Amino acid sequence: MTVRTERFQALVARRFGLQFEADRLGWLDGVLQRQLDTAGIGCEHYLAELAMPSDNPATDDRFSALVQELTVPETYFFRHLDQLRALRDQVLPGVPRGADGGRCLRVLSAGCASGEEAYSIAMLLREALPAASCTLAVLGLDLNPEMIERARRARYSEWSLRETPQPLRERWFQRDGADFVLDAEARGGVRFEQRNLCADDPAFWQPGSYDVVFCRNVLMYFTLDDARAVVARFARALVPGGHLFLGHAETLRRLSDDFDLCHTHDTFYYQRKPGTLPAAAAPRAPAAATEWVQAIDHSSERIRQLTVPGTPPPRADPGDVPGARPLVQALELFAAERFTQALDVLQALPPAAAPDPESQLLQAVLLTHVGRFAEAEAAGRALLATDPANAGAHYVLAQCREGVGDPAGAAECHRLAAWLDPDFAMPRLHLGLLARRRGDMRAARRELGQALALLQREAASRLHLFGGGFDRNALLALCRTQLHACGAWP
């Protein structure tokens, strides 16, 4: 990467919150060169201007062409229809009625691109409720000024309507040459505004401004700090109990604890917790189970030192870490497959220490190993009551479902664990095995292929806890064997 590309990458992240991975830096350098050629100025001059502060970077005409090139969206009407159905069937009925008996639903479509999402929401709700019973206000935001203008024109190609059911096409669109123009009724109550989500504007992000926020496939492009700040703004702008919809590959893991996870209509979304108002755009580091990680790592190292000939003994015991000694002892017993004794260690913890999430998770894992699935499921659900986004607990529930002969329930829990933590290899491996058992070879190849890639970089401590007694090489060999049996060539 050249120095100028590195500077350009940093300035784009600072000004717009957009991040680009290493495999796109060549493309990013091409973007920079095209901007220089168009502007007819030198690189130093251009980068100096980009570094200058602006009251609203999103509406700065000097860089509108840059914004358009950096944000090229892929969208269409009724994308991820399961989430829209959840909005209609689950969220809308919970919106309070006014004094006149009607509802007023305020929806923010953040990163709206050319408007298909915002208009899809409007059409779906118009279909569900008479206009007289629900006042609908949808605001679409996007960084790209060209996309905002396209949204306001509401003129779309056949490709944008590729997932639109024919009855909805006939009701809401008029053909005009090669294009389709959206009906005025569907456009009513929908407006668009150019705005940078990463620019903090307290006057805009007023508390309780929206009932629902859609921000799908947007956070993945932000830096971690900017994503946290954006989600904090969403939390502040939502009413207590309001809902947030993200893309299918996005989660709030490491971003926020202001939301509860919801799962209906075969999709996941979030509900803002009641209680105190979240701080305005205050990025908050995720809670880290530091003691747990230290305990697992120390235990793994102890086991390695005890089993590998010629390895010097451990230098120190982790007794200085509060609560770590029983966890290390239980983990070492677990690694030696002395599961009942490990459970005894955890159950002997004083009442004040017993409910902590680390010991709860380990206890649930141990209970699955001794076949006490009802108790393991109870322990997993107790943990989820305080930490619903704990992927490990959902994985334990999946193991329990498998143990009692419920493959459909197991698959659902594995999908949730994988969705909450996209780097977690073991749920993918089990999803692949379950798919093969039911004869779905395409799904089996997909899941096993993902598991194979994830296992190669999975943390040793997590394999130690969830690997079922198999090491990395054994699990990789299992993946390859199963892929071969499914007709793939790993």
Side-chain angles (χ1 to χ4, degrees), residues 35-374:
Q35 297 303 310
L36 297 178
D37 293 343
T38 301
I41 59 177
C43 184
E44 287 298 325
H45 185 185
Y46 184 83
L47 294 179
E49 285 194 347
L50 189 60
M52 291 176 62
S54 171
D55 292 336
N56 191 347
T59 58
D60 193 329
D61 290 339
R62 295 175 301 166
F63 300 110
S64 61
L66 173 61
V67 167
Q68 291 172 33
E69 194 161 4
L70 292 174
T71 56
V72 180
E74 162 61 21
T75 187
Y76 49 87
F77 283 98
F78 297 101
R79 189 179 191 186
H80 301 322
L81 186 57
D82 47 2
Q83 292 188 331
L84 297 177
R85 287 173 175 152
L87 169 67
R88 179 192 63 193
D89 300 340
Q90 196 74 21
V91 176
L92 182 60
V95 175
R97 294 181 181 272
D100 59 356
R103 293 184 174 92
C104 178
L105 184 66
R106 302 160 300 168
V107 181
L108 179 67
S109 173
C112 66
S114 45
E116 287 91 335
E117 176 180 88
Y119 289 135
S120 294
I121 293 168
M123 283 186 280
L124 192 79
L125 296 181
R126 297 285 186 225
E127 290 280 330
L129 294 170
S133 67
C134 182
T135 302
L136 180 64
V138 181
L139 174 61
L141 304 180
D142 202 86
L143 181 65
N144 190 327
E146 182 181 357
M147 291 295 105
I148 291 294
E149 287 307 310
R150 286 180 57 185
R152 289 169 177 162
R153 289 196 296 269
R155 176 180 289 268
Y156 297 96
S157 68
E158 174 82 33
W159 186 243
S160 291
L161 276 70
R162 61 188 182 272
E163 295 292 329
T164 304
Q166 189 61 34
L168 295 183
R169 285 193 184 207
E170 294 174 358
R171 176 173 180 183
W172 297 109
F173 292 90
Q174 296 293 325
R175 186 140 201 167
D176 185 9
D179 294 335
F180 292 82
V181 180
L182 187 63
D183 184 86
E185 183 183 352
R187 297 166 68 174
V190 183
R191 62 188 181 89
F192 298 93
E193 182 178 318
Q194 185 187 1
R195 182 172 290 275
N196 184 357
L197 295 176
C198 294
D200 192 17
D201 182 354
F204 178 82
W205 300 105
Q206 287 291 314
S209 298
Y210 300 99
D211 301 288
V212 180
V213 172
F214 276 77
C215 185
R216 302 191 291 184
N217 305 314
V218 176
L219 295 178
M220 64 177 68
Y221 296 108
F222 291 156
T223 64
L224 182 59
D225 285 344
D226 280 313
R228 286 176 182 158
V230 168
V231 172
R233 292 183 192 111
F234 291 159
R236 186 171 182 82
L238 278 166
V239 297
H243 290 80
L244 171 64
F245 288 83
L246 301 181
H248 280 188
E250 297 174 312
T251 80
L252 292 184
R253 178 173 170 260
R254 303 174 62 207
L255 297 181
S256 174
D257 59 5
D258 290 325
F259 294 85
D260 289 318
L261 183 67
C262 303
H263 181 216
T264 66
H265 297 73
D266 294 322
T267 191
F268 302 102
Y269 51 101
Y270 294 91
Q271 185 172 27
R272 211 206 91 179
K273 294 177 181 178
T276 58
L277 191 67
R284 182 169 55 252
T290 306
E291 296 170 8
W292 177 236
V293 173
Q294 287 176 343
I296 294 176
D297 287 346
H298 181 86
S299 178
S300 299
E301 179 63 13
R302 281 278 300 273
I303 293 163
R304 187 187 72 80
Q305 290 165 338
L306 292 171
T307 56
V308 177
T311 305
R315 288 177 298 176
D317 191 80
D320 293 337
V321 179
R325 195 187 304 274
L327 284 174
V328 169
Q329 184 182 358
L331 281 162
E332 290 173 350
L333 290 167
F334 170 54
E337 300 187 2
R338 295 160 65 183
F339 304 130
T340 302
Q341 289 174 274
L343 279 168
D344 290 342
V345 170
L346 292 180
Q347 290 168 352
L349 287 170
D356 74 88
E358 294 79 25
S359 61
Q360 279 183 296
L361 180 57
L362 180 55
Q363 182 169 330
V365 171
L366 287 163
L367 287 166
T368 64
H369 278 276
V370 296
R372 291 156 61 179
F373 296 116

